[in-house]
Amino acid sequence: MDLPILSSLILLPSIGAFFLFFTRSKSENKITVKYVALFTSLVNFFLSIYLWVLFDQTTSAFQFVEDRIWIEGLINYKVGVDGISILFIILTTFITPLCIISVNNSVTKRLNEFLIAILVMESFMIGVFCSLDLVVFYLFFEAGLIPMFLIIGIWGGSRRVYSAFKFFLFTLLGSVLMLVAIISIYWITGTTDVVQLYELGIDTKYQNLLWLAFFSSFAVKTPMWPVHTWLPDAHVEAPTAGSVLLAAILLKMAGYGFIRFSLGLFPSASEIFTPLIYTLSVIAIIFTSLIALMQEDMKKLIAYSSVAHMGFVTLGIFTIQQQGIEGSIIQMISHGLVSAALFLCVGVVYDRMHSRLITTYGGIVTIIPKYSVLFMVFTLAALGLPGTSGFVGEFLILMAAFKDNFLVAVLASLGVIIGAAYMLWLYKRVIFGKLINSELKKMIDLNKSEVFTLTCLAIPTLYFGFYPEPLINTIEVSINDLIDTYNYSLASK
Amino acid sequence: MEISIIALPLIASIISGFFGKFIGDRNSEIVTSLLVSISAILSVIVFYEVIFNQYEENIIIAKWINSGSLEVNWTMKIDALSAVMLVVVTFISALVHIYSIGYMSHDPHKPRFMAYLSLFTFAMLMLVTADNFIQLFFGWEGVGLCSYFLIGFWFKKETANAAAIKAFVVNRVGDFGFALGIFLIFYLFGTVNYVEVFDQIPTVVNEKLNFLGIEIKAIDLICILLFIGAMGKSAQIFLHTWLPDAMEGPTPVSALIHAATMVTAGVFLVVRCSPIYEYSELALNLVTIVGMSTAFFAASVALVQTDIKKIIAYSTCSQLGYMFFAAGVGAYNVAMFHLFTHAFFKALLFLGSGSVIHAFKDEQNINNMGGVWKKLPYTYALMIVGTLALTGFPLLSGFYSKDAIIEFAYLSGTTSGYYAAGIGIITAFLTSIYSWRLIFKTFHGPYNNKEIRIDETHESPLVMLIPLLILSIGAIFAGFIFKELFIGSEGINNFWRESIFFLEPLSTDHPPLWFLTLTPTLVTLSIPLAYYLFVKDKNFSAQIVNINKPLYEFLFNKWYFDEIYDTLFVKSSKKFGLFLWKFLDVKVIDGFGPDGISGLIQKFSIKAKKFQSGYIYQYAFIMLLGFSAFLTFLIVK
């Protein structure tokens, strides 16, 4: 092992943050601060691409594993990636620099600290996706809350304190139960090493309770119905960059956790609780889509649509079929790109008009044409139009769900209809129509950096819509193996 | 060469859409028209090869989705069926592109318009050349998207925006059924490739499954689900409501998308899946019934409408109904024949009406027209040709295809077939009446427009008239020339070959002579009748309306479909959404969840706060209470 590439990925952003800590953010060197942060995150991005290049797609074993003793006989610092986790790491390193570019207008005070929060958060997120020890995973998973809490609480809107606490309350509640479960796993098996746990397996009699404990944490973070109500509030109050991180990366931790831990460690419990997940997912898809239809606040609308999209993800994971899980991962990646872009789009008009209300806008297509085109691309991706990445994920998930349960697939497909309605209606009310509000005439079209960030998100959205092979090839073997192990452990029960 | 048929429109669209600003309006018009025309010429070459050299090919362009056992590629499948569609799509599209140069000459967004048209052509070509259901679905939604863009092209019009969204969402309802059909196909056969699916069909003929509590044959279910998709796209009854509204778009769009190509995709789907439909009697009957109901319903509504484009839109709806019931009685090739001829005369009628609207400076109400046949001689003559072809006047193209549909329905020997034939004849009569009503009200009688003087109406420029002329040649001769190829017994063996599947060969009998002459006679007689009703004696038709006021209202309001759907689906889902949000999320979940808990803690702490009063005597009193309680406890113990 020459270069500890994963540890570097985790540490680099924090080192950048450390440097920032000693930089004073006076008005003249605001730019410098931003460049330091941007440089750090870009190095990290290229490092993660290098990781993808080196990654061996033909094996399901963990790669780039680093194993260091942390607390003798108790906890090891162990990291590694397989096909399931690598894409999330790349998503994280890809979104972070775009986030940093986008902070231009939305954050006016304490820019320095804001960038530190973002970079530290990147560290934690990468840690979540590559840790192979339950305790290490837990630490990263929970630590991720702190920067987010601060981002909402310090740089948020008028009701930021309420939202930050709601966010914290919900997510902490679930997490405590997960901690208890991790401790019990240690007492039952004597290890918290994920690879060893995969081999040992956990006695079926403990699985149900443990599964529920993990579930309570993941369900809140996904978020699943009915513990989703923190998300719209958090999004509305968070600054644009915060919303982007929250939607694009933070929500993916839970989906990843379901695949890695719920399916991997507790197969028999997963089998038992599949109907529960199906029910909650379908409710999430239909209910929150209908709620999204009625929103007046653009950010809230997109937040609710996120809940619906994550409903597809949880549905796909628990079909426990190749297409379903692959669809879920693609859906998560796609949602990461698309929701990030949609929140950026809202941010763009908010920066100019300081309003998120849909009724403020209308008839601006000729005033800001570039914006209208890019916004349309992401609207279409959000409603799952074929040729965008949103379609591939959704279609695979529904296809797999149909194999398992007709009713679930039929109900979930209804969400696709409502999805088209609320997205197109949003677009129409904001972009098309007659120009009534004369203030809007002063709006300026996208500047260079905005065009750049949105185009960076549009290209993979379309590319993976037409050619998702690079994604599928990366995850195929690992998922295949996961399903084999799953079925094997069910059969041998 | 084959791939460039698909690629050229896409390139055209990209050039005009992204670089239109740099190359200018005129250049984008020329580039798009030229590239699509080349694509049309190449299609004709392919069509020629298919007819005379039995050319067949399945070109794999790239991989698309390969997940587990699911394998989907980007492909281009060429056989008789797709060759026919290629010609129809690219040919009409090229003419519409050229026509648009004239029609949109005053519009400030020409490059965008041309880009949409070309993009639509690309999506439609992807649809017809797919070799699997998912690429078909790609094209299917792609054309829906372009239709959305084009209907809402005049984005400042509130009605245009509403119509665009309605079109997309209603189509999504159809797509919902379609997607479920694809899922079921994958569930049963483990593949979505046409050939692989069709090969396995005979093995599952008797398989039943339980779908949402209903015991149903698997094949029936597949066909019904796919047909729901077809109903959405082809605007069949219950899912037709978007088509008349779609007339908000510019007229060339109506000609291309809502007459000749996109709306026929549903028919194409049923014909493409003939190897499945042939095994499902239930589905075929359903197709027949829906087809004939739509044919009749739409024709009845068209009788009383006053918007020139809406009349033609309902007429399209009705003609699509004919195609469906042709497919329903098993005469898939006849359905394709009518699709083929219909493309010419319906595009002609739409573009002709566009020319009229152009002349009247955007007036669409036929009550505000009249008496201009001398002012618009070419448009008038060409519209007459279109009308004759549509109504099935002997020897014009509609005559061959529509009468063949009615004959085959009659010959199918099933109950639904007889009904369909009967309805077909009645509808043919109605078609003739409303079509001539349109012609007479538009071109004859007194001049009724108050906005502009009659001398201000003017004939359209050549760039608009030449496409009309070419289409009229098709409308006259397409039936006669291609009759043998499409519906002759020779054609079935040598032209269609594998692309259409017949479980039992089509009947080669001939219906009795009285039956054969019935429709043409009715159609011919209806011309003087319509002339009398709408030009000679207007009081008489007004009296009919007065006597049957409720019926007139019922027809005029399009059988009240829109109102019913609005209450049933739109309003109720909005209400339900509001309930879920304001009550369930805010009151119940948050009320008992975070807000409830924090509220509870706050209440507690307020109570607890009261204890910390700071008065010594209070603390002393509490201490005394505690001490005595403790003592009592000890003593009792």
Side-chain angles (χ1 to χ4, degrees):
Chain A
M1 170 87 27
D2 28 16
L3 173 75
I5 189 163
L6 290 176
S7 295
S8 319
L9 276 171
I10 297 174
L11 278 176
L12 252 173
S14 297
I15 294 171
F18 185 73
F19 274 113
L20 284 181
F21 195 70
F22 293 104
T23 327
R24 285 277 155 270
S25 86
K26 282 185 202 122
S27 54
E28 62 267 23
N29 58 6
K30 250 187 183 174
I31 305 288
T32 332
V33 185
K34 219 177 118 179
Y35 279 149
V36 172
L38 188 60
F39 177 75
T40 322
S41 61
L42 276 179
V43 171
N44 226 27
F45 172 62
F46 289 117
L47 194 61
S48 71
I49 293 294
Y50 179 61
L51 178 81
W52 199 9
V53 173
L54 291 184
F55 183 78
D56 180 3
Q57 298 179 344
T58 55
T59 168
S60 66
F62 286 102
Q63 302 174 38
F64 311 102
V65 177
E66 295 166 40
D67 197 352
R68 292 194 179 77
I69 292 167
W70 182 12
I71 301 171
E72 183 72 49
L74 192 63
I75 308 168
N76 288 354
Y77 168 80
K78 186 170 180 181
V79 290
V81 288
D82 65 351
I84 298 169
S85 50
I86 186 164
L87 290 180
F88 292 105
I89 294 176
I90 294 162
L91 180 71
T92 311
T93 58
F94 178 64
I95 296 288
T96 312
L98 296 179
C99 249
I100 293 172
I101 297 175
S102 80
V103 295
N104 261 358
N105 307 313
S106 52
V107 178
T108 44
K109 54 170 190 183
R110 296 173 184 272
L111 180 67
N112 207 354
E113 286 79 358
F114 189 77
L115 293 172
I116 292 175
I118 288 184
L119 285 177
V120 169
M121 180 116 135
E122 183 182 11
S123 279
F124 291 153
M125 292 301 112
I126 296 172
V128 167
F129 293 127
C130 63
S131 49
L132 289 181
D133 187 285
L134 284 176
V135 179
V136 179
F137 169 78
Y138 181 80
L139 289 177
F140 280 126
F141 192 77
E142 292 314 316
L145 274 180
I146 301 165
M148 198 65 228
F149 176 74
L150 295 176
I151 287 175
I152 298 173
I154 298 176
W155 290 275
S158 49
R159 290 179 73 217
R160 56 179 182 266
V161 177
Y162 170 78
S163 296
F165 273 99
K166 198 171 177 182
F167 165 70
F168 202 75
L169 216 80
F170 261 114
T171 42
L172 193 73
L173 192 78
S175 308
V176 172
L177 288 171
M178 186 164 82
L179 180 64
V180 175
I182 291 174
I183 295 168
S184 5
I185 288 177
Y186 180 75
W187 289 123
I188 295 165
T189 59
T191 179
T192 53
D193 184 325
V194 176
V195 183
Q196 279 184 36
L197 284 170
Y198 276 171
E199 280 160 17
L200 288 171
I202 293 171
D203 200 326
T204 33
K205 66 184 173 195
Y206 301 117
Q207 279 195 20
N208 290 354
L209 276 178
L210 292 173
W211 189 94
L212 282 173
F214 273 79
F215 167 75
S216 65
S217 173
F218 295 153
V220 170
K221 282 239 168 76
T222 310
M224 295 179 79
W225 190 89
V227 284
H228 65 283
T229 56
W230 62 269
L231 187 73
D233 280 318
H235 271 309
V236 167
E237 297 310 324
T240 304
S243 283
V244 170
L245 281 181
L246 181 59
I249 307 167
L250 224 69
L251 300 190
K252 309 300 174 292
M253 297 195 305
Y256 168 75
F258 273 128
I259 301 175
R260 173 74 79 224
F261 301 109
S262 300
L263 293 190
L265 295 178
F266 322 118
S268 79
S270 295
E271 185 80 2
I272 291 170
F273 289 112
T274 296
L276 173 74
I277 297 271
Y278 276 7
T279 316
L280 293 182
S281 304
V282 168
I283 291 178
I285 292 169
I286 294 182
F287 280 16
T288 50
S289 297
L290 283 170
I291 295 175
L293 197 61
M294 297 314 295
Q295 294 307 309
E296 289 133 21
D297 182 315
M298 295 162 79
K299 258 192 166 178
K300 253 192 177 167
L301 192 152
I302 297 163
Y304 271 112
S305 85
S306 284
V307 181
H309 281 125
M310 294 311 284
F312 280 105
V313 171
T314 45
L315 174 62
I317 292 172
F318 281 85
T319 57
I320 316 174
Q321 291 167 34
Q322 189 91 25
Q323 286 94 19
I325 301 180
E326 285 182 13
S328 289
I329 292 184
I330 295 173
Q331 171 84 344
M332 280 194 266
I333 300 295
S334 159
H335 179 259
L337 301 169
V338 174
S339 66
L342 286 173
F343 280 118
L344 285 174
C345 283
V346 177
V348 166
V349 288
Y350 183 78
D351 289 343
R352 288 158 175 70
M353 299 300 298
H354 300 286
S355 166
R356 289 184 310 261
L357 287 183
I358 297 170
T359 45
T360 313
Y361 301 94
I364 53 178
V365 61
T366 45
I367 299 169
I368 45 174
K370 283 185 215 156
Y371 174 78
S372 306
V373 171
L374 283 162
F375 190 18
M376 179 45 95
V377 171
F378 299 112
T379 302
L380 296 175
L383 62 83
L385 191 88
T388 64
S389 55
F391 169 75
V392 181
E394 233 166 59
F395 205 76
L396 285 174
I397 290 166
L398 289 172
M399 211 164 208
F402 192 89
K403 271 200 212 169
D404 205 36
N405 189 322
F406 291 161
L407 181 66
V408 166
V410 171
L411 291 175
S413 306
L414 281 178
V416 179
I417 302 176
I418 316 171
Y422 67 70
M423 282 316 294
L424 289 180
W425 200 31
L426 167 73
Y427 190 83
K428 178 214 135 184
R429 286 180 293 171
V430 174
I431 301 289
F432 291 145
K434 268 213 176 72
L435 187 87
I436 295 165
N437 186 349
S438 56
E439 292 275 296
L440 296 171
K441 280 188 191 144
K442 282 181 242 150
M443 283 176 91
I444 306 160
D445 206 354
L446 299 180
N447 61 31
K448 273 188 188 142
S449 78
E450 285 163 341
V451 170
F452 176 77
T453 39
L454 289 176
T455 316
C456 278
L457 291 164
I459 289 170
T461 306
L462 293 173
Y463 180 77
F464 293 132
F466 281 93
Y467 194 69
E469 283 287 292
L471 301 181
I472 296 178
N473 286 341
T474 308
I475 56 184
E476 180 111 35
V477 178
S478 293
I479 290 183
N480 208 347
D481 188 63
L482 176 80
I483 292 169
D484 282 350
T485 329
Y486 180 90
N487 289 331
Y488 176 76
S489 61
L490 281 191
S492 65
K493 185 172 67 178
Chain B
M1 179 190 92
E2 290 84 353
I3 293 173
S4 53
I5 295 178
I6 298 183
L8 288 174
L10 180 65
I11 295 168
S13 159
I14 291 171
I15 292 177
S16 180
F18 288 105
F19 307 106
K21 222 186 256 171
F22 307 108
I23 61 172
D25 290 0
R26 184 39 53 94
N27 283 334
S28 14
E29 284 166 354
I30 292 173
V31 166
T32 47
S33 306
L34 190 72
L35 290 181
V36 174
S37 303
I38 296 174
S39 167
I41 293 166
L42 294 176
S43 303
V44 173
I45 297 173
V46 167
F47 189 53
Y48 177 87
E49 288 288 313
V50 172
I51 298 175
F52 293 103
N53 298 330
Q54 268 99 44
Y55 174 66
E56 255 175 40
E57 187 73 72
N58 193 5
I59 306 160
I60 293 174
I61 302 168
K63 280 184 173 181
W64 186 16
I65 306 174
N66 286 307
S67 167
S69 54
L70 176 73
E71 265 186 51
V72 183
N73 295 319
W74 294 109
T75 57
M76 184 167 178
K77 182 186 177 76
I78 296 172
D79 60 359
L81 193 55
S82 54
V84 170
M85 293 304 286
L86 278 181
V87 170
V88 171
V89 173
T90 55
F91 191 70
I92 305 281
S93 174
L95 291 178
V96 168
H97 271 81
I98 296 167
Y99 178 91
S100 304
I101 297 176
Y103 191 85
M104 303 297 283
S105 57
H106 304 299
D107 198 279
H109 303 290
K110 287 181 214 98
R112 187 161 64 94
F113 184 76
M114 298 313 261
Y116 288 158
L117 282 185
S118 302
L119 186 67
F120 167 80
T121 313
F122 162 73
M124 189 71 202
L125 292 173
M126 290 302 275
L127 190 160
V128 297
T129 59
D131 85 334
N132 60 71
F133 285 98
I134 299 190
Q135 187 187 331
L136 177 71
F137 193 74
F138 167 84
W140 195 264
E141 292 244 305
V143 291
L145 172 74
C146 297
S147 157
Y148 164 83
F149 283 144
L150 286 164
I151 296 169
F153 182 74
W154 286 316
F155 53 83
K156 283 183 188 159
K157 265 166 89 184
E158 200 57 36
T159 44
N161 283 317
I165 294 185
K166 187 174 175 185
F168 198 88
V169 174
V170 173
N171 265 298
R172 268 269 158 130
V173 176
D175 294 354
F176 159 74
F178 187 16
L180 289 177
I182 299 175
F183 300 151
L184 182 61
I185 286 170
F186 183 65
Y187 169 73
L188 285 172
F189 308 113
T191 170
V192 289
N193 191 290
Y194 293 151
V195 180
E196 289 165 24
V197 171
F198 297 159
D199 283 348
Q200 293 180 58
I201 289 290
T203 60
V204 296
V205 170
N206 292 318
E207 206 166 295
K208 287 192 172 176
L209 46 86
N210 188 325
F211 186 75
L212 312 184
I214 306 161
E215 187 86 358
I216 187 168
K217 268 162 95 180
I219 298 237
D220 289 345
L221 187 61
I222 294 178
C223 292
I224 291 170
L225 289 172
L226 293 181
F227 183 57
I228 292 173
M231 282 170 70
K233 197 103 293 176
S234 293
Q236 293 298 288
I237 194 162
F238 300 119
L239 292 179
H240 67 280
T241 52
W242 64 271
L243 185 61
D245 288 22
M247 296 302 126
E248 291 289 343
T251 310
V253 173
S254 315
L256 176 62
I257 300 186
H258 306 122
T261 54
M262 183 184 87
V263 287
T264 60
V267 182
F268 169 77
L269 173 68
V270 172
V271 176
R272 176 57 92 194
C273 295
S274 56
I276 315 179
Y277 277 88
E278 279 292 88
Y279 288 97
S280 168
E281 212 188 313
L282 180 71
L284 281 180
N285 278 327
L286 181 75
V287 174
T288 314
I289 291 166
V290 168
M292 70 189 194
S293 312
T294 311
F296 176 74
F297 151 76
S300 75
V301 174
L303 277 179
V304 299
Q305 297 301 312
T306 54
D307 183 314
I308 185 168
K309 284 180 73 185
K310 284 204 174 160
I311 298 173
I312 308 180
Y314 275 106
S315 162
T316 305
C317 215
S318 171
Q319 297 303 309
L320 289 165
Y322 272 104
M323 297 175 207
F324 274 112
F325 79 67
V329 297
Y332 304 99
N333 53 339
V334 186
M336 285 308 291
F337 188 39
H338 196 52
L339 188 160
F340 184 71
T341 57
H342 175 258
F344 291 102
F345 55 72
K346 193 49 70 66
L348 173 61
L349 279 173
F350 261 123
L351 294 182
S353 75
S355 179
V356 172
I357 294 167
H358 202 68
F360 279 97
K361 301 214 166 58
D362 298 331
E363 177 59 66
Q364 302 200 6
N365 192 331
I366 52 170
N367 285 333
N368 298 335
M369 298 175 180
V372 289
W373 65 277
K374 277 184 187 154
K375 290 287 296 176
L376 313 171
Y378 301 111
T379 307
Y380 174 63
L382 293 166
M383 287 281 281
I384 295 271
V385 170
T387 305
L388 287 172
L390 164 68
T391 54
F393 194 78
L395 303 182
L396 272 76
S397 62
F399 166 73
Y400 292 100
S401 56
K402 194 192 282 178
D403 281 21
I405 290 177
I406 297 170
E407 282 165 33
F408 274 102
Y410 176 82
L411 288 174
S412 72
T414 57
T415 327
S416 58
Y418 285 129
Y419 275 116
I423 299 262
I425 293 170
I426 296 169
T427 307
F429 177 67
L430 293 180
T431 306
S432 191
I433 296 281
Y434 70 69
S435 304
W436 288 108
R437 170 174 174 263
L438 186 150
I439 292 288
F440 291 136
K441 288 203 135 196
T442 312
F443 293 103
H444 292 267
Y447 184 78
N448 291 323
N449 198 306
K450 295 177 187 72
E451 306 275 313
I452 47 173
R453 284 178 297 116
I454 188 161
D455 347 330
E456 283 177 44
T457 59
H458 58 87
E459 186 58 280
S460 298
L462 267 186
V463 71
M464 287 167 72
L465 288 176
I466 289 173
L468 286 178
L469 192 70
I470 298 174
L471 284 173
S472 72
I473 295 169
I476 298 171
F477 298 110
F480 174 72
I481 296 173
F482 290 101
K483 180 173 180 283
E484 267 310 300
L485 187 70
F486 277 77
I487 57 174
S489 53
E490 187 68 5
I492 291 172
N493 298 325
N494 291 330
F495 177 61
W496 295 112
R497 292 192 309 276
E498 310 285 301
S499 64
I500 294 181
F501 174 78
F502 297 96
L503 198 57
E504 287 158 12
L506 277 180
S507 161
T508 49
D509 298 343
H510 288 286
L513 194 64
W514 66 267
F515 187 84
L516 280 177
T517 49
L518 185 59
T519 328
T521 318
L522 278 175
V523 164
T524 318
L525 285 178
S526 67
I527 305 175
L529 179 65
Y531 187 72
Y532 179 77
L533 280 176
F534 302 113
V535 182
K536 265 277 181 231
D537 189 359
K538 285 196 174 167
N539 292 334
F540 184 62
S541 54
Q543 267 174 3
I544 299 177
V545 169
N546 271 334
I547 295 167
N548 299 305
K549 201 73 188 166
L551 178 66
Y552 175 78
E553 287 288 317
F554 180 66
L555 292 181
F556 189 73
N557 287 304
K558 309 141 196 168
W559 295 29
Y560 295 103
F561 268 108
D562 282 325
E563 287 75 7
I564 295 169
Y565 283 179
D566 195 43
T567 355
L568 217 57
F569 300 116
V570 181
K571 282 192 186 136
S572 62
S573 40
K574 281 186 181 174
K575 255 190 202 152
F576 190 49
L578 215 54
F579 162 80
L580 288 173
W581 174 28
K582 295 279 185 196
F583 182 75
L584 198 63
D585 264 25
V586 175
K587 287 240 169 76
V588 178
I589 296 175
D590 278 357
F592 286 98
D595 296 353
I597 291 170
S598 58
L600 212 62
I601 291 172
Q602 204 166 15
K603 262 187 210 156
F604 251 144
S605 51
I606 288 169
K607 290 262 160 64
K609 201 167 73 183
K610 284 190 179 146
F611 278 118
Q612 329 282 321
S613 61
Y615 296 113
I616 300 290
Y617 66 87
Q618 266 187 13
Y619 291 159
F621 180 68
I622 300 282
M623 275 172 73
L624 192 70
L625 269 182
F627 185 67
S628 47
F630 183 62
L631 269 182
T632 324
F633 174 73
L634 279 181
I635 293 163
V636 171
K637 199 181 169 195

